[in-house]
Amino acid sequence: AYDGVLTLPSECQPPRGIFLQWSTIVAQIEEDNEFLNSKIAEVFTLYRQHGIHPILLKGQAVAQNYRNPLHRNSGDIDLYIGEEDYDKANAILRQESTRESEENNKHASITWRGVTIENHRIMTHLNAPASNKFFNRSLREWFPQGSRKLDIHGFTADVCPLEFDATFVLIHSVLH
């Protein structure tokens, strides 16, 4: 909304007091995103040093499609690790973790260096068996060698191929 308001003629913009409040909030969002982006670079580098190939899901990857990626409300870092390296990735983070809030059949949620990382063993689970089988077969066809490269504030992260990513984001939003 803030970026949209900036495109309005001055006579259509909100009063100065409201605009300053919004600007303060946006400055905090930018700072949070800068921090999160730095942690993406750190965790990717750490995992790659250990032979793990993380895939950035949702959040900061989707933010790169915004007019200003730093203006998207951020949260945690979601990484698809897969079954094979899941325990190894969790063990690496747990060496420096300050909190672990949950682990379920899909992911572990570990606070590491001030940010929550969700290591996903399973990207998603669809209730329709045929759809779930198709989704996972499609995932196996490209993971990890067919990932797409995406610049996240000066760092190259691996993300899902475009069509797969669009499907996953839509599925994820429906499941919420």
Side-chain angles (χ1 to χ4, degrees):
Y2 181 83
D3 290 333
V5 165
L6 292 178
T7 67
L8 295 172
S10 59
E11 64 272 9
C12 295
Q13 292 189 1
R16 180 170 168 74
I18 291 174
F19 183 77
L20 290 175
Q21 287 176 342
W22 280 11
S23 296
T24 301
I25 292 167
V26 168
Q28 183 61 58
I29 291 170
E30 288 175 347
E31 189 176 310
D32 292 346
N33 277 306
E34 296 271 0
F35 176 75
L36 206 61
N37 290 338
S38 73
K39 296 305 170 195
I40 288 170
E42 287 179 34
V43 74
F44 262 78
T45 300
L46 181 63
Y47 281 172
R48 287 171 177 166
Q49 288 170 348
H50 287 87
I52 298 170
H53 304 282
I55 302 295
L56 182 64
L57 301 174
K58 309 178 296 188
Q60 297 305 97
V62 170
Q64 303 316 300
N65 296 307
Y66 280 54
R67 179 179 295 156
N68 185 336
L70 293 178
H71 288 178
R72 181 187 179 276
N73 273 321
S74 60
D76 57 12
I77 297 172
D78 288 272
L79 300 173
Y80 177 70
I81 304 298
E83 296 273 352
E84 187 177 318
D85 289 324
Y86 178 76
D87 291 332
K88 182 179 177 182
N90 290 339
I92 291 167
L93 290 189
R94 285 178 176 135
Q95 292 175 14
E96 296 182 57
S97 71
T98 54
R99 181 173 178 247
E100 190 162 341
S101 56
E102 70 174 299
E103 183 168 6
N104 57 40
N105 66 326
K106 285 181 12 184
H107 63 76
S109 184
I110 300 169
T111 302
W112 171 84
R113 297 184 185 176
V115 67
T116 300
I117 309 276
E118 285 190 358
N119 282 331
H120 288 253
R121 166 185 23 231
I122 297 169
M123 196 174 289
T124 193
H125 180 79
L126 303 172
N127 289 331
S131 298
N132 195 58
K133 185 176 180 180
F134 178 79
F135 181 86
N136 285 301
R137 184 175 58 243
S138 298
L139 171 61
R140 285 189 303 273
E141 286 175 3
W142 66 263
F143 176 74
Q145 299 83 3
S147 64
R148 180 171 49 107
K149 307 297 183 198
L150 185 64
D151 181 77
I152 307 284
H153 212 62
F155 179 80
T156 302
D158 291 288
V159 296
C160 303
L162 191 58
E163 295 83 5
F164 188 93
D165 198 29
T167 302
F168 171 68
V169 169
L170 288 171
I171 289 169
H172 183 75
S173 66
V174 166
L175 294 176
H176 275 279

